[in-house]
PDB file of all heavy atoms in Angstrom:
ATOM      1  N   HIS A   1      49.183 -35.960  35.152  1.00 96.00           N
ATOM      2  CA  HIS A   1      50.624 -36.108  34.929  1.00 96.00           C
ATOM      3  C   HIS A   1      51.389 -35.387  36.043  1.00 96.00           C
ATOM      4  O   HIS A   1      52.378 -35.915  36.583  1.00 96.00           O
ATOM      5  CB  HIS A   1      50.985 -35.524  33.562  1.00 96.00           C
ATOM      6  CG  HIS A   1      52.336 -35.908  33.067  1.00 96.00           C
ATOM      7  ND1 HIS A   1      52.640 -36.008  31.723  1.00 96.00           N
ATOM      8  CD2 HIS A   1      53.493 -36.211  33.722  1.00 96.00           C
ATOM      9  CE1 HIS A   1      53.908 -36.358  31.576  1.00 96.00           C
ATOM     10  NE2 HIS A   1      54.452 -36.475  32.777  1.00 96.00           N
ATOM     11  N   ALA A   2      50.940 -34.194  36.399  1.00 96.00           N
ATOM     12  CA  ALA A   2      51.596 -33.427  37.456  1.00 96.00           C
ATOM     13  C   ALA A   2      51.487 -34.148  38.801  1.00 96.00           C
ATOM     14  O   ALA A   2      52.460 -34.183  39.576  1.00 96.00           O
ATOM     15  CB  ALA A   2      50.980 -32.032  37.553  1.00 96.00           C
ATOM     16  N   ILE A   3      50.333 -34.718  39.092  1.00 94.00           N
ATOM     17  CA  ILE A   3      50.148 -35.457  40.345  1.00 94.00           C
ATOM     18  C   ILE A   3      51.065 -36.667  40.388  1.00 94.00           C
ATOM     19  O   ILE A   3      51.733 -36.943  41.398  1.00 94.00           O
ATOM     20  CB  ILE A   3      48.673 -35.886  40.509  1.00 94.00           C
ATOM     21  CG1 ILE A   3      47.786 -34.656  40.743  1.00 94.00           C
ATOM     22  CG2 ILE A   3      48.523 -36.877  41.666  1.00 94.00           C
ATOM     23  CD1 ILE A   3      46.305 -34.955  40.720  1.00 94.00           C
ATOM     24  N   ASN A   4      51.109 -37.421  39.280  1.00 92.00           N
ATOM     25  CA  ASN A   4      51.966 -38.609  39.210  1.00 92.00           C
ATOM     26  C   ASN A   4      53.438 -38.247  39.415  1.00 92.00           C
ATOM     27  O   ASN A   4      54.156 -38.893  40.192  1.00 92.00           O
ATOM     28  CB  ASN A   4      51.776 -39.282  37.853  1.00 92.00           C
ATOM     29  CG  ASN A   4      52.611 -40.538  37.708  1.00 92.00           C
ATOM     30  OD1 ASN A   4      52.340 -41.561  38.318  1.00 92.00           O
ATOM     31  ND2 ASN A   4      53.650 -40.474  36.895  1.00 92.00           N
ATOM     32  N   ASN A   5      53.890 -37.182  38.736  1.00 93.00           N
ATOM     33  CA  ASN A   5      55.280 -36.758  38.875  1.00 93.00           C
ATOM     34  C   ASN A   5      55.574 -36.213  40.266  1.00 93.00           C
ATOM     35  O   ASN A   5      56.665 -36.398  40.808  1.00 93.00           O
ATOM     36  CB  ASN A   5      55.618 -35.700  37.820  1.00 93.00           C
ATOM     37  CG  ASN A   5      55.813 -36.288  36.445  1.00 93.00           C
ATOM     38  OD1 ASN A   5      55.508 -37.463  36.218  1.00 93.00           O
ATOM     39  ND2 ASN A   5      56.295 -35.496  35.516  1.00 93.00           N
ATOM     40  N   GLY A   6      54.583 -35.528  40.842  1.00 92.00           N
ATOM     41  CA  GLY A   6      54.760 -34.994  42.186  1.00 92.00           C
ATOM     42  C   GLY A   6      54.948 -36.102  43.213  1.00 92.00           C
ATOM     43  O   GLY A   6      55.806 -36.008  44.098  1.00 92.00           O
ATOM     44  N   ILE A   7      54.153 -37.166  43.090  1.00 89.00           N
ATOM     45  CA  ILE A   7      54.285 -38.312  43.995  1.00 89.00           C
ATOM     46  C   ILE A   7      55.651 -38.965  43.825  1.00 89.00           C
ATOM     47  O   ILE A   7      56.321 -39.312  44.807  1.00 89.00           O
ATOM     48  CB  ILE A   7      53.153 -39.328  43.740  1.00 89.00           C
ATOM     49  CG1 ILE A   7      51.803 -38.727  44.133  1.00 89.00           C
ATOM     50  CG2 ILE A   7      53.404 -40.625  44.508  1.00 89.00           C
ATOM     51  CD1 ILE A   7      50.609 -39.578  43.751  1.00 89.00           C
ATOM     52  N   ALA A   8      56.080 -39.118  42.572  1.00 86.00           N
ATOM     53  CA  ALA A   8      57.384 -39.723  42.294  1.00 86.00           C
ATOM     54  C   ALA A   8      58.512 -38.867  42.856  1.00 86.00           C
ATOM     55  O   ALA A   8      59.501 -39.403  43.397  1.00 86.00           O
ATOM     56  CB  ALA A   8      57.561 -39.910  40.792  1.00 86.00           C
ATOM     57  N   TYR A   9      58.385 -37.544  42.753  1.00 88.00           N
ATOM     58  CA  TYR A   9      59.430 -36.658  43.272  1.00 88.00           C
ATOM     59  C   TYR A   9      59.499 -36.738  44.796  1.00 88.00           C
ATOM     60  O   TYR A   9      60.596 -36.772  45.378  1.00 88.00           O
ATOM     61  CB  TYR A   9      59.165 -35.223  42.831  1.00 88.00           C
ATOM     62  CG  TYR A   9      60.201 -34.249  43.344  1.00 88.00           C
ATOM     63  CD1 TYR A   9      61.454 -34.165  42.751  1.00 88.00           C
ATOM     64  CD2 TYR A   9      59.930 -33.430  44.446  1.00 88.00           C
ATOM     65  CE1 TYR A   9      62.414 -33.287  43.231  1.00 88.00           C
ATOM     66  CE2 TYR A   9      60.889 -32.552  44.930  1.00 88.00           C
ATOM     67  CZ  TYR A   9      62.128 -32.487  44.321  1.00 88.00           C
ATOM     68  OH  TYR A   9      63.086 -31.628  44.814  1.00 88.00           O
ATOM     69  N   LEU A  10      58.354 -36.767  45.458  1.00 88.00           N
ATOM     70  CA  LEU A  10      58.332 -36.882  46.918  1.00 88.00           C
ATOM     71  C   LEU A  10      58.970 -38.192  47.367  1.00 88.00           C
ATOM     72  O   LEU A  10      59.714 -38.224  48.355  1.00 88.00           O
ATOM     73  CB  LEU A  10      56.891 -36.794  47.434  1.00 88.00           C
ATOM     74  CG  LEU A  10      56.223 -35.416  47.332  1.00 88.00           C
ATOM     75  CD1 LEU A  10      54.756 -35.507  47.752  1.00 88.00           C
ATOM     76  CD2 LEU A  10      56.964 -34.389  48.194  1.00 88.00           C
ATOM     77  N   ALA A  11      58.692 -39.264  46.629  1.00 83.00           N
ATOM     78  CA  ALA A  11      59.309 -40.561  46.956  1.00 83.00           C
ATOM     79  C   ALA A  11      60.821 -40.484  46.768  1.00 83.00           C
ATOM     80  O   ALA A  11      61.586 -41.053  47.562  1.00 83.00           O
ATOM     81  CB  ALA A  11      58.721 -41.654  46.081  1.00 83.00           C
ATOM     82  N   LEU A  12      61.257 -39.750  45.739  1.00 80.00           N
ATOM     83  CA  LEU A  12      62.686 -39.639  45.448  1.00 80.00           C
ATOM     84  C   LEU A  12      63.423 -38.913  46.562  1.00 80.00           C
ATOM     85  O   LEU A  12      64.455 -39.388  47.055  1.00 80.00           O
ATOM     86  CB  LEU A  12      62.879 -38.910  44.120  1.00 80.00           C
ATOM     87  CG  LEU A  12      64.320 -38.745  43.627  1.00 80.00           C
ATOM     88  CD1 LEU A  12      64.913 -40.106  43.276  1.00 80.00           C
ATOM     89  CD2 LEU A  12      64.361 -37.815  42.419  1.00 80.00           C
ATOM     90  N   ILE A  13      62.913 -37.762  46.989  1.00 80.00           N
ATOM     91  CA  ILE A  13      63.609 -36.989  48.015  1.00 80.00           C
ATOM     92  C   ILE A  13      63.493 -37.647  49.386  1.00 80.00           C
ATOM     93  O   ILE A  13      64.293 -37.349  50.289  1.00 80.00           O
ATOM     94  CB  ILE A  13      63.096 -35.529  48.081  1.00 80.00           C
ATOM     95  CG1 ILE A  13      61.622 -35.478  48.476  1.00 80.00           C
ATOM     96  CG2 ILE A  13      63.341 -34.815  46.760  1.00 80.00           C
ATOM     97  CD1 ILE A  13      61.107 -34.066  48.702  1.00 80.00           C
ATOM     98  N   ALA A  14      62.520 -38.545  49.531  1.00 75.00           N
ATOM     99  CA  ALA A  14      62.391 -39.284  50.788  1.00 75.00           C
ATOM    100  C   ALA A  14      63.291 -40.519  50.807  1.00 75.00           C
ATOM    101  O   ALA A  14      63.313 -41.258  51.796  1.00 75.00           O
ATOM    102  CB  ALA A  14      60.940 -39.687  51.011  1.00 75.00           C
ATOM    103  N   GLY A  15      64.027 -40.728  49.728  1.00 72.00           N
ATOM    104  CA  GLY A  15      64.932 -41.863  49.661  1.00 72.00           C
ATOM    105  C   GLY A  15      64.295 -43.143  49.189  1.00 72.00           C
ATOM    106  O   GLY A  15      64.858 -44.226  49.353  1.00 72.00           O
ATOM    107  N   HIS A  16      63.096 -43.035  48.583  1.00 69.00           N
ATOM    108  CA  HIS A  16      62.382 -44.229  48.121  1.00 69.00           C
ATOM    109  C   HIS A  16      62.200 -44.225  46.607  1.00 69.00           C
ATOM    110  O   HIS A  16      61.234 -44.790  46.088  1.00 69.00           O
ATOM    111  CB  HIS A  16      61.018 -44.328  48.797  1.00 69.00           C
ATOM    112  CG  HIS A  16      61.085 -44.431  50.294  1.00 69.00           C
ATOM    113  ND1 HIS A  16      61.652 -45.509  50.940  1.00 69.00           N
ATOM    114  CD2 HIS A  16      60.650 -43.577  51.265  1.00 69.00           C
ATOM    115  CE1 HIS A  16      61.568 -45.322  52.257  1.00 69.00           C
ATOM    116  NE2 HIS A  16      60.980 -44.161  52.477  1.00 69.00           N
ATOM    117  N   GLY A  17      63.133 -43.579  45.896  1.00 65.00           N
ATOM    118  CA  GLY A  17      62.990 -43.466  44.455  1.00 65.00           C
ATOM    119  C   GLY A  17      62.870 -44.793  43.739  1.00 65.00           C
ATOM    120  O   GLY A  17      62.112 -44.932  42.784  1.00 65.00           O
ATOM    121  N   ASN A  18      63.623 -45.804  44.188  1.00 67.00           N
ATOM    122  CA  ASN A  18      63.573 -47.126  43.563  1.00 67.00           C
ATOM    123  C   ASN A  18      62.942 -48.174  44.487  1.00 67.00           C
ATOM    124  O   ASN A  18      63.043 -49.372  44.218  1.00 67.00           O
ATOM    125  CB  ASN A  18      64.989 -47.575  43.179  1.00 67.00           C
ATOM    126  CG  ASN A  18      65.500 -46.844  41.944  1.00 67.00           C
ATOM    127  OD1 ASN A  18      64.962 -46.985  40.854  1.00 67.00           O
ATOM    128  ND2 ASN A  18      66.537 -46.033  42.118  1.00 67.00           N
ATOM    129  N   SER A  19      62.308 -47.699  45.552  1.00 72.00           N
ATOM    130  CA  SER A  19      61.688 -48.634  46.496  1.00 72.00           C
ATOM    131  C   SER A  19      60.368 -49.146  45.950  1.00 72.00           C
ATOM    132  O   SER A  19      59.631 -48.424  45.278  1.00 72.00           O
ATOM    133  CB  SER A  19      61.452 -47.955  47.845  1.00 72.00           C
ATOM    134  OG  SER A  19      62.666 -47.548  48.424  1.00 72.00           O
ATOM    135  N   MET A  20      60.074 -50.408  46.258  1.00 75.00           N
ATOM    136  CA  MET A  20      58.798 -51.003  45.892  1.00 75.00           C
ATOM    137  C   MET A  20      57.847 -50.947  47.091  1.00 75.00           C
ATOM    138  O   MET A  20      58.285 -50.809  48.238  1.00 75.00           O
ATOM    139  CB  MET A  20      59.003 -52.452  45.448  1.00 75.00           C
ATOM    140  CG  MET A  20      59.902 -52.598  44.230  1.00 75.00           C
ATOM    141  SD  MET A  20      59.147 -51.877  42.748  1.00 75.00           S
ATOM    142  CE  MET A  20      60.477 -52.057  41.562  1.00 75.00           C
ATOM    143  N   LEU A  21      56.569 -51.045  46.805  1.00 78.00           N
ATOM    144  CA  LEU A  21      55.575 -50.985  47.871  1.00 78.00           C
ATOM    145  C   LEU A  21      55.826 -52.065  48.915  1.00 78.00           C
ATOM    146  O   LEU A  21      55.675 -51.828  50.119  1.00 78.00           O
ATOM    147  CB  LEU A  21      54.173 -51.145  47.274  1.00 78.00           C
ATOM    148  CG  LEU A  21      53.008 -51.073  48.268  1.00 78.00           C
ATOM    149  CD1 LEU A  21      52.970 -49.703  48.955  1.00 78.00           C
ATOM    150  CD2 LEU A  21      51.682 -51.354  47.561  1.00 78.00           C
ATOM    151  N   ILE A  22      56.246 -53.226  48.465  1.00 76.00           N
ATOM    152  CA  ILE A  22      56.490 -54.331  49.395  1.00 76.00           C
ATOM    153  C   ILE A  22      57.614 -53.992  50.379  1.00 76.00           C
ATOM    154  O   ILE A  22      57.611 -54.446  51.531  1.00 76.00           O
ATOM    155  CB  ILE A  22      56.824 -55.629  48.623  1.00 76.00           C
ATOM    156  CG1 ILE A  22      56.835 -56.817  49.583  1.00 76.00           C
ATOM    157  CG2 ILE A  22      58.151 -55.497  47.882  1.00 76.00           C
ATOM    158  CD1 ILE A  22      56.918 -58.153  48.888  1.00 76.00           C
ATOM    159  N   ASP A  23      58.562 -53.169  49.963  1.00 75.00           N
ATOM    160  CA  ASP A  23      59.651 -52.760  50.849  1.00 75.00           C
ATOM    161  C   ASP A  23      59.178 -51.732  51.873  1.00 75.00           C
ATOM    162  O   ASP A  23      59.727 -51.659  52.975  1.00 75.00           O
ATOM    163  CB  ASP A  23      60.805 -52.159  50.037  1.00 75.00           C
ATOM    164  CG  ASP A  23      61.364 -53.134  49.022  1.00 75.00           C
ATOM    165  OD1 ASP A  23      61.509 -54.327  49.372  1.00 75.00           O
ATOM    166  OD2 ASP A  23      61.654 -52.711  47.885  1.00 75.00           O
ATOM    167  N   MET A  24      58.180 -50.940  51.510  1.00 79.00           N
ATOM    168  CA  MET A  24      57.741 -49.855  52.381  1.00 79.00           C
ATOM    169  C   MET A  24      56.684 -50.272  53.396  1.00 79.00           C
ATOM    170  O   MET A  24      56.636 -49.737  54.494  1.00 79.00           O
ATOM    171  CB  MET A  24      57.216 -48.688  51.524  1.00 79.00           C
ATOM    172  CG  MET A  24      58.316 -48.009  50.708  1.00 79.00           C
ATOM    173  SD  MET A  24      57.767 -46.521  49.859  1.00 79.00           S
ATOM    174  CE  MET A  24      56.796 -47.220  48.518  1.00 79.00           C
ATOM    175  N   VAL A  25      55.829 -51.241  53.047  1.00 80.00           N
ATOM    176  CA  VAL A  25      54.768 -51.629  53.978  1.00 80.00           C
ATOM    177  C   VAL A  25      55.279 -52.546  55.081  1.00 80.00           C
ATOM    178  O   VAL A  25      54.705 -52.598  56.175  1.00 80.00           O
ATOM    179  CB  VAL A  25      53.584 -52.298  53.244  1.00 80.00           C
ATOM    180  CG1 VAL A  25      52.952 -51.331  52.259  1.00 80.00           C
ATOM    181  CG2 VAL A  25      54.021 -53.571  52.538  1.00 80.00           C
TER     182      VAL A  25
END
């Protein structure tokens, strides 16, 4: 749970909180 939330938080502060994988690749 901590790992999952940590990844989500990093995506959020990087400006990708609502980004999909297709948008990033």
Side-chain angles (χ1 to χ4, degrees):
H1 195 151
I3 291 172
N4 181 72
N5 284 11
I7 293 172
Y9 179 77
L10 289 174
L12 182 67
I13 63 174
H16 299 295
N18 285 296
S19 298
M20 299 294 175
L21 181 62
I22 190 170
D23 301 319
M24 293 187 286
V25 298

